[in-house]
């Protein structure tokens, strides 16, 4: 059974620090797959999310620590809560409770935009300023379609 919920990539998620933007695109793709896959494929996508989250969050933590990012503690706590939740959900999914996994994926889709807008955008600006000497200018496509 598939869920009609989705988390497609949008330029609204671009933050202007390419390594972070690339990692976020992968995050969105994995969460979108969890939201839209068949039940039989869900556990594999959840495992892919856990592997991704471990690397993603460790990379951001390393950036924060190596540059003395002021909000490191808050940012890392947010990541830890997500990662630990994924680890708690996985055994239930493996036991056949895919619904709890889908609820977790829906929560990730709700959580990510706000996390990216606030904590990650601050980190992206911090990293760009450290590396490039200024904050990034991010061009985002605003493609709107109208139906006739």
């Amino acid at each position: 059974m598939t869920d009609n919920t989705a988390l497609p990539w949008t330029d609204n998620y671009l933050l202007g620090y390419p390594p972070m933007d690339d990692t976020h695109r992968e995050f969105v793709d994995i969460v979108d797959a969890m939201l839209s896959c068949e039940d039989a494929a869900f556990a594999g996508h959840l495992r892919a999310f856990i592997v991704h989250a471990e690397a993603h969050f460790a990379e951001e933590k390393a950036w924060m620590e190596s540059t003395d990012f002021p909000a490191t503690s808050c940012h890392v706590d947010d990541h830890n809560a997500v990662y630990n939740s994924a680890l708690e959900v996985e055994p239930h999914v493996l036991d056949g409770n895919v619904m709890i996994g889908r609820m977790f994926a829906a929560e990730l889709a709700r959580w990510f935009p706000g996390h990216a807008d606030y904590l990650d955008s601050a980190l992206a600006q911090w990293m760009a300023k450290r590396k490039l000497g200024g904050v990034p200018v991010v061009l985002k496509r605003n493609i709107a379609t109208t139906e006739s």
Side-chain angles (χ1 to χ4, degrees):
M1 175 183 176
T2 60
D3 188 336
N4 292 331
T5 308
L7 182 65
W9 177 259
T10 169
D11 283 357
N12 289 332
Y13 300 140
L14 289 173
L15 300 176
Y17 187 63
M20 185 181 290
D21 289 335
D22 292 345
T23 300
H24 284 174
R25 183 180 290 272
E26 184 179 331
F27 178 98
V28 167
D29 288 347
I30 293 169
V31 173
D32 189 55
M34 288 194 306
L35 291 166
S36 60
C37 71
E38 296 294 324
D39 285 355
F42 190 88
H45 290 299
L46 177 59
R47 172 64 8 211
F49 174 80
I50 290 168
V51 169
H52 165 85
E54 183 174 28
H56 173 167
F57 298 162
E59 180 178 50
E60 288 187 15
K61 182 178 181 183
W63 292 337
M64 290 182 263
E65 290 176 343
S66 71
T67 63
D68 295 321
F69 181 64
T72 297
S73 180
C74 176
H75 201 142
V76 169
D77 287 350
D78 209 30
H79 286 169
N80 288 343
V82 169
Y83 184 73
N84 290 334
S85 294
L87 293 177
E88 290 176 17
V89 166
E90 187 178 36
H92 297 285
V93 170
L94 292 174
D95 284 343
N97 187 351
V98 175
M99 186 54 63
I100 196 168
R102 291 199 186 278
M103 290 168 54
F104 173 68
E107 184 59 24
L108 288 172
R110 186 203 63 75
W111 169 82
F112 177 73
H115 178 83
D117 281 348
Y118 297 103
L119 294 175
D120 285 336
S121 66
L123 178 58
Q125 286 190 10
W126 181 263
M127 295 300 297
K129 201 170 188 179
R130 294 279 182 167
K131 220 173 187 178
L132 307 171
V135 296
V137 173
V138 182
L139 302 177
K140 299 178 182 184
R141 294 173 288 186
N142 186 11
I143 301 171
T145 59
T146 57
E147 293 185 35
S148 305

